[in-house]
Amino acid sequence: MHLVRKLFLSSAAFILLPVLAYAQSLEDSDGKQLVEEYCLSCHNDEDYAGSLDLSLLLADDIAPHQDTWEKVIRKLRAGMMPPPGESRPDESDYLELTQGLENWVDAHSPRYPGSVTLHRLNRTEYANAIRDLLELEIDPTLLLPSDTLARGFDNLAGSLSLSSTQLEAYSTAATKIASMALGYLRSPTEATFIPPGDTSQSQQLEGMPFGTRGGMVVKHTFPADGDYKIIIKNHRVGTFMSGEQLEISIDGERVHLFDYTNLGRGRGEAGEGDLSVTIPVKSGSQAVGVTFIATNYRPSFSTIKQYDRKSLENEMLPGLYNYPEIGFLRIQGPFNPSQPIDSPSIRKVYTCRPGNQEQEVSCARQILSTLAGKAYRRPINEQDMVPLLAFFEEGRSNGSFEEGIELALARVLASPNFLLRVEQEPEALEPGESYSISELELASRLSFFLWSSIPDDELIGLATSNRLREPGVLDQQVKRMLADPRSVSLVNNFATQWFYLRNLDITYPDGIYYPDWDDELRQSFRRELELFFDSIIREDRSIVDLLDADYTFINERLAVHYGIPNIYGAHFRRVALGPELDYRRGLLGKGSFLAVTFTQNFRSSPVKRGVWVLENILGTPPPEPPANVPALEETEGENVISTLRDQMELHRQDPVCASCHRIMDGIGFALEVFDADGKFRPVNGHPRKWSGVAMPVNTSVELWDGNRVDGPVELRNNLVKYSPQFVRFAVEKLMTFGLGRGVEYYDMPVIREIVNASAEEDYRFSSLVLGIVNSAPFQSRVKQNSENDTLANR
C-alpha cells in the first residue's frame, strides 16, 4: 500500500494502479519496477485525464468508477499518456501495460446492455421505407421537418420524439404520398429547383449525355398522368454566340430541344428570360435533366482566371461572351390529369383486383393486410384491420374502389405502428432487469441498421417463425443484407455523417484564392469518399484500409484537380495510387476531408484538421476551447508574420491554449501540403494575409506521442500504428448508428470483445458488423422503470 500511495502522488499514477496490482499478483519484480517507473513518469497529466478526483479510484469496487477507467484506456490506446514532452516506455511495454489495464477492467466490470426510448423514423428512414413499401421515390426534405443531430447522427432515439407539429407533418405527408402512389392530384402544384451558385456550366455533368455541358438534374415525383409545364430561367446577361441549344430530358430521354439565343434575365414569365414548354408525363419519380448542347468551348475573359470556372462571372466586362447559366428550373402541373392505370407503385400495392362489388371487401382486406404487415414490421391482427377497413369504406362510399384503397393507405402511413419503432417490455420483469428482444424486434433493428429501412419479406418470415436466432441463420442474413444494394445506406447515411460529408454543401472557399472550386468539384469530393467506403463494404476489406488503402475513385474533374493524368470523362473509375501519389492514400488524402476543414474562406486550418483526426480516427476529441480566446488574426499585433505556422507558434505561447494545441497542431501542420480546396501545394503564402512571398511548406512536426514526422505520408504511417484504436472507434460509431443510442462506458468491454475477435479476420467489415449484431447490446435491453432512470436512457 505504501508503494500505491507513493505512486498516487503523481497526478497520472492512478492510471496503472490496477496494472501494478496485476504485476504484483504475478510476483513479477521486473513488471513492478516497470510499472512504478512508468507511473512516476506520467505526472502533470490533468489535461489528458480530465482533472479527475483520483482519491475515488482507490475504492475496491470498479463499478462506480468504470467510466473513469474507460477514459484512461481511451487515452492510452491513442498514445496520449503521458503528455507530450514526458518520457515514455518503449512500445512493447506501453502495449503490455495498456492491455493489462483493459483486462483488469473487463474482468471486473458489470455488463449492461442499455436501453433506448421510443424511436421515430427519421427523414431518411421514412423515405427509404416508402421506397421499399410502395416503389416510390420521395424527397423527404419537402415533406418533413429536419431531424436533430446527436452523437454525430440523426437517428438516435433520444432526439427523435414525436411532437404534435411533427405528427401533423407526417399525417400531411401520408396523404400526399398515398395520392402520388395510387391516385392523382386534381389541382396543379409547383416545384422550383435552384442550382448552387457554383454549379458547372461549361463541362459535362455526371449523368448527362456525352456532347453536353452544364445544366442540372433533379429528381421529381409527378403526381399523376397529365401535362406539365417546364420553365427554365436564364441567370446571365450578355451576348451569346448563335446556335446555343438547351435540351430537356426525362429519365435520360430527350423530350424537347430549345434554340437558346440572346435571352436576358429577370423579365418575368412572359419575358425573354424564360423558356417554357408543356409536355405529357406519366406519374412517378423521374429524373428531369436540363443541359446545354456543347457547341463550343470558347474561353472566358474574366479577370479571375479559373479552371473552367463553371459560373464564369463576366458581367463586369459587357459584350464579352458568357456561357449561359441556368437560374432555376420550375415544374408546374398536372394539367388535364387522369387516373394512372399502371405504375411501379400500383403494381406493388394491388395484389388483387375485385371482379365485382361483392369481392371488394375481401380484396381490400388482402391488399391492406399485406401493406400494413410490411409497414408495421410484424404480422397483422384483426385489431389492426378494423380502422383500415373503416377508412377503405369511407373512401369507397365517396368514390371508387381505388379511392378507398388510397384513403386506407394514407391511414397506414400515418399510423404510429409505421412511424414509431417500439420494443415491448415483458411485464413480469422488474425495472433494471435485462431481457432478449423478440425476433421481430431484432429483424427491425437489423434492417434499420444495415438498410435504414423496413425489413423485407425474408427477414420478417424468419422472425415470425422464430428461426432468425437459429445457428448460422442470423449470420447468413447479415451477409445477404450487406450484399444487397440497399446496404448503400451505410455509405450515404452512416459514412456521410461520420466523415462530415454533409458539411460539403456549406463549404465555399473564396473564389479569388481558389478559382477551381465549384459544385462539380464539391460533388466529386463527396462521390470519391462514398465509393471508397462502399468498396470497403462490397469487397469486405479491412476497416483499417480506410487509413492507408492504395487506391481511390476519380473522374476527369477530380483527376485534373489532383494532378493525375490520362483520366477522361465524368464517370468515376478506380485508380491505383502509386509511390508518386502516396500522399493521397486513405482518408487523409481525400479532398472531402481536406475541404471541410478549411477556415475563413481563404486558407486551410491545421487546427480543424487536427481536431478532425482526433475526433474521427483516434476517437479522442479535444475539449471545447475556453471562452474569450482571441481569433488567430487578432494575435498578430503590428508585426507582419510570414507564415501561418509562425502565427500558431505565437498563439501557443498562451499556456491556456498550449495544452490542447500541442496535441492538434502537429497533425494539422503535417497536412499543410494540401490547400483548403484539397489541392497539393509545394509552397505557402497568400498575398492578402501573409507576406506574399512563396515559401516551401514546413511539414516537419513532433506529434502528441513524441514521434517526429514530416508530411502526410509519415503522419499516416504513424496513425496506422494506432489502428486498433481506430477499429475500436469505428465499432463505436457503427454501434451508435445501429442501436440508435449513444455508446457509453458500460458498452466498452463488449466493443473490445468485438474488436479482438475481428482481429483474427484482419478487421474485415463484415466481421465487425457480425460482432455488433451478435452482441448483447444489439440483441437485448434493460427494462426501464416508471421514472425512466438516467442510466437506462443514455
Side-chain angles (χ1 to χ4, degrees):
M1 179 58 70
H2 175 70
L3 177 60
V4 170
R5 294 288 181 185
K6 178 181 177 181
L7 293 173
F8 179 72
L9 295 177
S10 172
S11 64
F14 73 93
I15 296 171
L16 296 172
L17 291 180
V19 184
L20 176 61
Y22 174 73
Q24 288 176 326
S25 69
L26 297 178
E27 299 183 353
D28 182 352
S29 59
D30 292 336
K32 286 188 290 185
Q33 181 179 359
L34 174 66
V35 171
E36 179 179 5
E37 292 176 353
Y38 177 62
C39 289
L40 291 175
S41 73
C42 293
H43 61 82
N44 193 28
D45 199 32
E46 294 176 335
D47 295 327
Y48 302 87
S51 301
L52 301 168
D53 184 355
L54 306 182
S55 62
L56 296 176
L57 301 176
L58 293 178
D60 294 331
D61 188 5
I62 189 176
H65 313 297
Q66 185 183 351
D67 57 340
T68 300
W69 293 117
E70 292 298 345
K71 293 176 184 177
V72 172
I73 290 172
R74 184 180 299 269
K75 295 295 185 181
L76 289 171
R77 274 293 178 187
M80 293 185 177
M81 289 181 127
E86 300 293 339
S87 60
R88 304 170 70 91
D90 62 44
E91 290 187 17
S92 61
D93 292 336
Y94 191 100
L95 179 61
E96 180 181 357
L97 292 169
T98 304
Q99 289 178 335
L101 178 57
E102 286 180 343
N103 293 338
W104 183 78
V105 171
D106 291 347
H108 294 83
S109 298
R111 300 303 169 93
Y112 180 83
S115 189
V116 293
T117 55
L118 205 65
H119 194 148
R120 168 178 58 83
L121 303 190
N122 67 11
R123 292 198 302 191
T124 299
E125 293 167 341
Y126 184 86
N128 289 345
I130 294 297
R131 176 203 64 202
D132 295 339
L133 185 65
L134 301 175
E135 291 283 343
L136 181 68
E137 298 283 351
I138 65 168
D139 183 352
T141 63
L142 303 177
L143 299 171
L144 302 172
S146 60
D147 299 309
T148 303
L149 281 176
R151 305 288 187 101
F153 296 106
D154 60 7
N155 72 330
L156 268 62
S159 61
L160 291 173
S161 59
L162 189 60
S163 66
S164 57
T165 301
Q166 290 166 327
L167 183 59
E168 182 179 357
Y170 277 96
S171 298
T172 302
T175 301
K176 291 181 178 179
I177 291 168
S179 294
M180 288 188 291
L182 303 180
Y184 62 100
L185 298 180
R186 294 158 181 82
S187 301
T189 61
E190 179 178 280
T192 300
F193 304 92
I194 302 174
D198 52 6
T199 299
S200 174
Q201 298 296 331
S202 63
Q203 298 292 307
Q204 177 198 348
L205 297 183
E206 185 178 12
M208 290 294 195
F210 288 109
T212 64
R213 58 173 174 78
M216 62 189 300
V217 182
V218 300
K219 197 75 172 179
H220 180 67
T221 299
F222 293 90
D225 293 355
D227 297 331
Y228 290 84
K229 186 176 184 180
I230 299 178
I231 302 169
I232 304 104
K233 180 177 283 294
N234 175 40
H235 185 61
R236 293 286 161 217
V237 175
T239 301
F240 306 117
M241 296 181 68
S242 61
E244 291 286 358
Q245 293 179 307
L246 181 67
E247 173 185 294
I248 298 178
S249 63
I250 295 181
D251 280 347
E253 184 175 338
R254 179 187 292 179
V255 295
H256 193 76
L257 186 66
F258 289 107
D259 286 328
Y260 193 93
T261 56
N262 199 29
L263 297 177
R265 70 171 172 180
R267 301 189 184 181
E269 289 192 7
E272 294 180 351
D274 291 344
L275 295 173
S276 65
V277 62
T278 300
I279 56 176
V281 183
K282 293 290 186 181
S283 65
S285 299
Q286 303 186 60
V288 181
V290 181
T291 186
F292 296 99
I293 305 300
T295 55
N296 64 77
Y297 287 95
R298 183 171 176 176
S300 166
F301 292 97
S302 172
T303 54
I304 301 176
K305 299 299 182 183
Q306 303 126 326
Y307 163 78
D308 290 328
R309 180 71 176 197
K310 310 314 181 192
S311 54
L312 295 176
E313 303 278 356
N314 285 338
E315 293 184 32
M316 297 179 65
L317 301 173
L320 295 180
Y321 176 74
N322 253 336
Y323 287 119
E325 180 178 343
I326 301 298
F328 65 69
L329 167 66
R330 179 173 292 154
I331 302 174
Q332 298 174 342
F335 303 103
N336 305 314
S338 61
Q339 180 82 33
I341 300 174
D342 183 48
S343 71
S345 297
I346 289 174
R347 292 192 295 272
K348 184 84 169 180
V349 170
Y350 286 107
T351 57
C352 65
R353 291 282 187 176
N356 52 53
Q357 191 169 354
E358 287 72 24
Q359 297 175 353
E360 286 186 355
V361 173
S362 61
C363 182
R365 177 181 289 273
Q366 176 182 326
I367 291 171
L368 295 176
S369 62
T370 301
L371 282 172
K374 293 179 179 179
Y376 300 170
R377 307 172 287 280
R378 58 173 173 78
I380 300 302
N381 54 43
E382 188 60 29
Q383 186 177 356
D384 296 315
M385 292 303 301
V386 170
L388 300 183
L389 290 174
F391 271 74
F392 165 75
E393 294 289 357
E394 180 182 345
R396 179 66 180 92
S397 65
N398 297 320
S400 64
F401 173 82
E402 288 76 15
E403 288 172 309
I405 295 295
E406 178 185 335
L407 188 60
L409 173 60
R411 175 65 176 81
V412 170
L413 299 181
S415 171
N417 292 307
F418 174 59
L419 298 177
L420 301 176
R421 294 167 54 190
V422 181
E423 296 174 347
Q424 299 295 328
E425 296 183 329
E427 295 182 0
L429 296 182
E430 294 295 325
E433 290 189 64
S434 300
Y435 66 94
S436 296
I437 60 176
S438 71
E439 293 209 359
L440 283 168
E441 292 165 347
L442 177 60
S444 188
R445 279 195 181 190
L446 186 58
S447 66
F448 280 100
F449 176 26
L450 302 183
W451 290 347
S452 295
S453 185
I454 56 178
D456 62 2
D457 292 341
E458 181 174 341
L459 201 56
I460 289 292
L462 288 169
T464 302
S465 58
N466 292 319
R467 291 186 292 133
L468 189 55
R469 284 193 172 104
E470 288 183 358
V473 174
L474 185 59
D475 287 8
Q476 186 272 330
Q477 286 298 305
V478 169
K479 293 176 181 179
R480 176 184 72 87
M481 295 175 72
L482 286 174
D484 190 282
R486 283 170 286 188
S487 65
V488 73
S489 67
L490 288 171
V491 176
N492 55 35
N493 197 17
F494 168 72
T496 56
Q497 294 187 82
W498 179 8
F499 299 125
Y500 306 166
L501 290 188
R502 295 182 180 182
N503 290 359
L504 281 171
D505 291 336
I506 56 174
T507 300
Y508 287 90
D510 193 308
I512 297 294
Y513 295 101
Y514 304 99
D516 291 356
W517 183 270
D518 56 22
D519 189 60
E520 187 182 359
L521 184 61
R522 178 188 293 113
Q523 300 307 327
S524 295
F525 282 161
R526 182 196 308 275
R527 190 61 180 149
E528 177 191 24
L529 190 50
E530 288 175 346
L531 290 170
F532 181 51
F533 194 86
D534 187 69
S535 72
I536 302 295
I537 300 174
R538 302 297 168 205
E539 300 169 23
D540 199 17
R541 300 178 69 93
S542 170
I543 197 75
V544 178
D545 284 357
L546 288 173
L547 298 181
D548 65 350
D550 59 354
Y551 65 92
T552 191
F553 296 84
I554 58 175
N555 62 357
E556 181 179 358
R557 178 70 181 87
L558 199 53
V560 172
H561 193 73
Y562 284 173
I564 301 176
N566 304 320
I567 303 294
Y568 304 102
H571 67 284
F572 280 77
R573 78 293 313 263
R574 182 172 180 154
V575 297
L577 298 174
E580 72 283 0
L581 293 169
D582 200 16
Y583 57 85
R584 287 289 178 192
R585 289 173 57 176
L587 289 170
L588 298 187
K590 298 294 178 285
S592 54
F593 149 62
L594 299 165
V596 298
T597 52
F598 88 108
T599 188
Q600 299 294 329
N601 295 325
F602 70 92
R603 66 168 171 82
S604 57
S605 172
V607 173
K608 288 187 176 182
R609 288 176 176 173
V611 170
W612 192 98
V613 170
L614 293 175
E615 289 182 342
N616 294 292
I617 293 181
L618 295 174
T620 54
E624 292 294 323
N628 303 318
V629 175
L632 186 60
E633 288 75 16
E634 296 173 8
T635 64
E636 295 181 25
E638 299 180 356
N639 298 323
V640 176
I641 300 178
S642 59
T643 68
L644 175 62
R645 185 158 182 166
D646 291 337
Q647 280 202 325
M648 292 301 301
E649 292 291 344
L650 180 63
H651 189 69
R652 283 201 301 273
Q653 290 179 9
D654 185 340
V656 176
C657 303
S659 61
C660 290
H661 280 281
R662 60 182 176 178
I663 312 173
M664 304 179 293
D665 291 0
I667 299 171
F669 281 121
L671 296 168
E672 276 293 275
V673 292
F674 298 112
D675 217 333
D677 62 352
K679 182 178 287 187
F680 182 81
R681 61 176 179 191
V683 296
N684 192 9
H686 285 306
R688 190 173 74 180
K689 298 303 294 183
W690 318 126
S691 65
V693 178
M695 295 169 290
V697 177
N698 181 5
T699 58
S700 178
V701 296
E702 181 176 331
L703 297 178
W704 71 93
D705 59 1
N707 290 327
R708 291 205 65 87
V709 300
D710 189 354
V713 174
E714 293 184 9
L715 171 64
R716 184 192 71 230
N717 293 336
N718 194 75
L719 286 172
V720 169
K721 294 193 305 182
Y722 298 102
S723 55
Q725 171 59 18
F726 172 68
V727 177
R728 284 172 173 79
F729 184 64
V731 173
E732 284 184 50
K733 301 296 280 187
L734 282 165
M735 186 172 280
T736 298
F737 184 79
L739 294 177
R741 68 166 175 84
V743 167
E744 300 293 345
Y745 63 88
Y746 48 76
D747 296 305
M748 294 310 299
V750 173
I751 288 175
R752 284 190 284 272
E753 289 177 1
I754 294 170
V755 173
N756 292 338
S758 176
E760 300 177 2
E761 299 185 45
D762 195 28
Y763 304 123
R764 293 189 180 277
F765 188 82
S766 65
S767 67
L768 299 178
V769 173
L770 285 167
I772 293 170
V773 171
N774 285 291
S775 69
F778 197 86
Q779 296 207 20
S780 59
R781 57 175 290 175
V782 169
K783 184 174 182 178
Q784 302 179 50
N785 62 24
S786 58
E787 299 180 356
N788 294 324
D789 64 46
T790 303
L791 185 61
N793 281 285
R794 289 191 180 187

